[in-house]
Amino acid sequence: MACLPALSALRMAQAGEINQPVLNGLASPIRLQADPSPPPALFKVQGIAQAAIDTVLGLCQRHLAIENALPGPSSYAQHNTWAEWQKKETAILCFRPNGTQGLPLCVLDDVFRNFQQLATAPLPSTPAAAQAMNAAFNLCRTMPNHFKVADERSKAFDECLVPIFRLNWWRAKVYMQTSTELHTGQVDRTYEEDGMIYILREDKLEMDTGDPYIQVARDYQLYAEKVRNENPNLAKQGVPVFLLCLLGPILLICGGFHDGKSTIVEPLAEPCLLFDDFLHCRQEVLARQLFALEEGVAALRNRSLVVDVNDHAAGVPRVYTTYLAYDDNTERELKWLISLAASHPRSLLIVATEDQQATDPKALRLVKLVSKYGDEVHQLLAEHGFAPKLYGHKSLEGAPTAYVMEYLCPPTGAKPGWITLWQFFTSNGSKIQYSGAIEKTLNDILAVMAAARVVHGDLRPNNIMLEVDSNGAPVDKEGVNLKVVDFDWAGNSGDVHYPLQRNEDITWPASPWTSIVVAHDRTLVEGWWRQQFTLEFRRM
């Protein structure tokens, strides 16, 4: 009778109904009670029975571990599966669901930044570009056809790319496995040389046969984990790989990167429809992407011999190593320290330094990556002490501009620091006693911008920093130290516009895409000031 619970556990495991609480409940009664002086025959039976019970329990534990492990690529690609797993810490940062993303690949590796530039530039008049166009015509003639099975489509795709990729470098049905995961995967194609993979590809017969994007992202996650265990040098480089998704006659080219903590996958270009085109427009778009892909693979091949001895923090850019200083127009080094993504999820903010050995907090720099920035307005307010000092910038084609500025450290221990005015308003019950000093400094800031005919556009409490002591009170008892941040919308009055996408819970002075003028900054301040203090914001 003692074996019945074990048999019950095995049946539940086979039916997929077992979980850890059930297993814990079954384990205690399964252990046989030994008779103090059993007959030899009974002692032998008890030993055999107990060994069988332990084996069954081990199988149940193994089954439970497999059920709870990160699924393999083909299972992960099922819409109900990835929807659950993408909520967990192991989520692939691939934009699914919305908000699940890492740094742009263009700031993590130059191979992806260069790909995106080449994919949108006119094709050069070179033999390599001509071969890319040849491959594009091949694909647009072949991929719209009917294929009985996915492997037929895969082989035809390989052959169409012969003008730019060697046919014998494609490997079919390659297993992706690592010692740190229970599940394995089988990717449809790899393009590799001497074990070094440059392309992972998932092919689907038609549009209703699965999601190749999620599947190839999971393939890459397995491959990156394998590399981290077996090739530390390549792992330090971020394991950059191109990922191709073939969904019937549709091709999507993506990139994969592992920053030491997270798996980051991102589409690098618009999907291509592999259909014939009388005007050859589709072929030309496809040819540009194929040319960029060939150049990218060549760059990865050349890099595979380079030893990277640098360690990189997770979540920080890698393509910016220096910046151009405003004061003397010299290039200065940047050493990346930590991303502020956790506290600023909608902004690309990273803490860096020029000297990693420096211990003074004043040596820290805040770097903001942004495509548009009102640096002249920032510098104007900084000259008057109303914004963090702006040290310089770094511009790279095909990537956001990196603006390097003073880092306003938060208060720590007994040391003063900076918090947003919004944090001060929501945490300080005696805020009213400082309202006069805050009001005066805000008027000074508005006056400086009005005199120069420039605007900030988003002058709200979350974009204004206040220096406080360890108790959360303003450092200057007779006044307050305020610094404005986030100059993304700033510029000359009338020359910049409110964005189309903004928080419409805010009462803005004007509609989206309307020009921002000097009067708007004061109007915005007056609105939130009235809400905070039930007082009118006075001109001073």
Side-chain angles (χ1 to χ4, degrees):
M1 297 298 291
C3 291
L4 290 178
L7 295 175
S8 174
L10 183 57
R11 292 191 188 101
M12 293 177 72
Q14 290 173 332
E17 298 172 353
I18 198 164
N19 53 39
Q20 191 64 54
V22 170
L23 198 57
N24 292 342
L26 289 169
S28 54
I30 290 177
R31 180 64 57 184
L32 291 174
Q33 299 297 320
D35 190 324
S37 56
L42 179 58
F43 184 82
K44 184 176 181 180
V45 170
Q46 283 181 334
I48 294 172
Q50 189 62 63
I53 291 169
D54 291 343
T55 299
V56 171
L57 281 176
L59 291 172
C60 291
Q61 291 281 13
R62 171 71 176 174
H63 177 86
L64 188 61
I66 291 174
E67 286 295 308
N68 291 333
L70 196 59
S74 58
S75 298
Y76 201 92
Q78 301 302 313
H79 69 280
N80 287 332
T81 303
W82 71 256
E84 288 301 317
W85 280 92
Q86 285 292 96
K87 299 175 184 176
K88 303 183 181 184
E89 289 185 0
T90 55
I92 303 167
L93 303 183
C94 65
F95 297 88
R96 300 196 74 184
N98 184 46
T100 309
Q101 63 197 72
L103 286 175
L105 291 183
C106 63
V107 307
L108 289 171
D109 199 301
D110 281 326
V111 73
F112 299 127
R113 182 172 66 88
N114 293 333
F115 172 93
Q116 291 180 312
Q117 293 179 76
L118 289 174
T120 55
L123 276 174
S125 298
T126 63
Q131 293 290 61
M133 182 65 82
N134 190 9
F137 272 88
N138 291 345
L139 288 171
C140 290
R141 282 193 300 263
T142 306
M143 288 298 103
N145 296 332
H146 174 262
F147 294 91
K148 292 182 180 180
V149 294
D151 194 52
E152 287 184 6
R153 182 180 290 279
S154 296
K155 290 178 180 177
F157 190 89
D158 297 343
E159 291 168 359
C160 287
L161 292 183
V162 165
I164 58 174
F165 291 126
R166 299 182 185 184
L167 189 61
N168 62 344
W169 283 18
W170 290 109
R171 287 183 60 208
K173 307 299 181 184
V174 179
Y175 276 98
M176 292 289 123
Q177 57 186 3
T178 172
S179 60
T180 56
E181 291 203 29
L182 290 175
H183 290 291
T184 62
Q186 188 184 66
V187 64
D188 288 323
R189 290 290 189 276
T190 61
Y191 189 74
E192 58 182 89
E193 176 188 20
D194 298 329
M196 184 71 69
I197 294 178
Y198 306 119
I199 299 175
L200 293 172
R201 199 179 89 216
E202 282 290 356
D203 302 339
K204 298 297 180 182
L205 182 62
E206 292 295 344
M207 300 183 192
D208 59 348
T209 53
D211 184 344
Y213 176 65
I214 289 290
Q215 190 165 339
V216 80
R218 178 70 178 111
D219 288 326
Y220 172 73
Q221 188 179 41
L222 276 171
Y223 174 63
E225 185 65 22
K226 179 177 184 291
V227 169
R228 291 179 68 203
N229 295 331
E230 299 177 1
N231 190 337
N233 179 55
L234 183 57
K236 284 183 180 182
Q237 295 181 26
V239 201
V241 173
F242 287 100
L243 313 177
L244 271 57
C245 310
L246 183 62
L247 183 59
I250 301 173
L251 175 65
L252 177 65
I253 301 177
C254 311
F257 191 89
H258 197 285
D259 69 358
K261 178 183 178 183
S262 301
T263 302
I264 302 166
V265 172
E266 177 188 332
L268 296 174
E270 294 296 316
C272 283
L273 293 173
L274 309 181
F275 295 149
D276 204 356
D277 179 2
F278 182 76
L279 297 177
H280 300 164
C281 295
R282 278 191 285 268
Q283 288 93 327
E284 186 170 344
V285 170
L286 176 59
R288 288 200 295 265
Q289 293 191 21
L290 294 177
F291 174 70
L293 180 62
E294 183 185 20
E295 291 290 309
V297 168
L300 290 179
R301 289 184 62 205
N302 292 334
R303 182 191 302 178
S304 64
L305 302 176
V306 177
V307 176
D308 185 353
V309 296
N310 296 317
D311 288 316
H312 302 276
V316 303
R318 301 194 183 187
V319 300
Y320 312 92
T321 56
T322 63
Y323 75 94
L324 186 66
Y326 285 129
D327 55 1
D328 58 8
N329 211 37
T330 60
E331 290 281 337
R332 298 182 184 176
E333 281 194 73
L334 268 181
K335 305 292 184 182
W336 301 96
L337 298 178
I338 188 171
S339 168
L340 299 182
S343 54
H344 299 82
R346 294 187 178 275
S347 300
L348 297 180
L349 299 175
I350 305 97
V351 178
T353 183
E354 295 176 27
D355 180 8
Q356 275 187 313
Q357 305 305 317
T359 57
D360 187 350
K362 292 182 179 179
L364 296 178
R365 303 287 182 260
L366 180 69
V367 183
K368 181 166 187 172
L369 306 183
V370 64
S371 58
K372 180 179 177 295
Y373 196 71
D375 54 320
E376 292 182 356
V377 182
H378 186 150
Q379 285 183 303
L380 172 70
L381 289 185
E383 289 170 1
H384 289 79
F386 294 139
K389 182 176 179 180
L390 193 58
Y391 292 104
H393 75 287
K394 183 67 173 184
S395 295
L396 292 173
E397 189 175 355
T401 300
Y403 288 95
V404 183
M405 64 194 75
E406 172 189 5
Y407 178 50
L408 303 180
C409 298
T412 54
K415 294 182 179 180
W418 296 82
I419 62 174
T420 67
L421 203 53
W422 172 253
Q423 290 173 312
F424 177 74
F425 286 159
T426 55
S427 63
N428 196 308
S430 58
K431 63 182 181 181
I432 189 67
Q433 75 180 85
Y434 303 105
S435 62
I438 295 173
E439 186 178 35
K440 180 183 182 304
T441 305
L442 286 174
N443 267 290
D444 292 342
I445 292 170
L446 290 167
V448 169
M449 290 195 293
R453 303 296 298 170
V454 297
V455 296
H456 181 276
D458 194 12
L459 205 57
R460 293 180 291 138
N462 55 312
N463 290 330
I464 302 170
M465 306 296 289
L466 169 68
E467 190 177 19
V468 297
D469 59 26
S470 58
N471 296 316
V475 169
D476 190 341
K477 301 304 180 184
E478 298 182 0
V480 292
N481 295 331
L482 297 181
K483 291 186 186 289
V484 179
V485 296
D486 287 351
F487 292 81
D488 300 28
W489 305 356
N492 292 325
S493 178
D495 291 346
V496 290
H497 302 80
Y498 287 107
L500 291 173
Q501 298 292 321
R502 61 184 186 178
N503 185 356
E504 290 302 334
D505 292 335
I506 306 297
T507 303
W508 298 100
S511 303
W513 209 240
T514 302
S515 296
I516 307 174
V517 297
V518 167
H520 289 170
D521 282 334
R522 179 171 288 275
T523 300
L524 186 60
V525 171
E526 289 172 348
W528 60 256
W529 186 268
R530 197 177 298 114
Q531 290 180 341
Q532 285 295 327
F533 298 106
T534 63
L535 296 171
E536 294 300 319
F537 184 76
R538 299 168 298 173
R539 290 179 180 269
M540 295 182 179

